[in-house]
Amino acid sequence: MDSTDQLILDELARHSRMTMKELGEKVHLTGQATAARVLKLEEAGIIEGYTIRISREKLGYSVHAFVTAMMHEPKHQKFFDELESWQDHVSRYFKTSGEGCYLIECHFPTHHDLDSFLNGISEFASYKVAIAIQQYG
């Protein structure tokens, strides 16, 4: 990976829908040369996929919460099943080290919905909640 590859990654991170020709103009390559580099980055697993960012708030999910879960038992499948039942609200979750076992990022229309989610996971875990006030970047 060289500085041109890094420029390609930076540009795609900002606007992944641009054409290879447009991307090539930004990194001073032809569209064909740019496409070949992007393909190599994909094949190497450096580019894992392309995505869009959705405004959950504009879709009515104004409560953005981060829940740290501390599991009661060593078996977690029932906990995962509970998370799956909230798939429209749970954006992603991570196994973590430190104070908690999992960090769950979630979005809810109301605080009441967040409370229902917390009641559901409380059978399997203790938790701490942080509510996002403002997003940057």
Side-chain angles (χ1 to χ4, degrees):
M1 189 154 133
D2 62 15
S3 61
T4 301
D5 289 334
Q6 187 60 55
L7 284 172
I8 289 171
L9 294 175
D10 293 344
E11 290 297 329
L12 286 174
R14 279 191 278 283
H15 183 60
S16 63
R17 290 193 58 184
M18 72 175 70
T19 66
M20 289 298 122
K21 180 181 177 190
E22 292 169 329
L23 180 57
E25 289 171 0
K26 292 187 177 282
V27 299
H28 310 292
L29 294 173
T30 66
Q32 186 176 11
T34 303
R37 281 185 176 248
V38 168
L39 181 61
K40 283 183 182 180
L41 291 167
E42 291 170 347
E43 289 173 346
I46 294 169
I47 296 176
E48 295 179 334
Y50 300 87
T51 187
I52 59 172
R53 289 191 336 194
I54 298 170
S55 171
R56 297 277 191 139
E57 190 170 335
K58 288 183 180 176
L59 292 175
Y61 293 81
S62 59
V63 180
H64 186 182
F66 295 89
V67 178
T68 301
M70 291 76 71
M71 304 304 294
H72 298 316
E73 298 179 14
K75 294 186 179 180
H76 301 171
Q77 188 55 52
K78 289 181 183 179
F79 174 74
F80 294 138
D81 293 343
E82 181 68 18
L83 292 182
E84 182 66 24
S85 74
W86 289 90
Q87 67 183 352
D88 292 342
H89 303 281
V90 173
S91 300
R92 52 192 174 164
Y93 54 94
F94 306 88
K95 185 173 186 176
T96 58
S97 64
E99 185 178 356
C101 300
Y102 297 97
L103 178 64
I104 308 158
E105 181 179 8
C106 40
H107 298 80
F108 298 94
T110 67
H111 287 92
H112 177 77
D113 295 315
L114 170 59
D115 187 51
S116 295
F117 170 75
L118 296 173
N119 286 334
I121 67 168
S122 66
E123 180 179 344
F124 315 105
S126 301
Y127 57 82
K128 289 186 177 183
V129 179
I131 302 292
I133 304 299
Q134 178 71 38
Q135 180 175 330
Y136 301 97

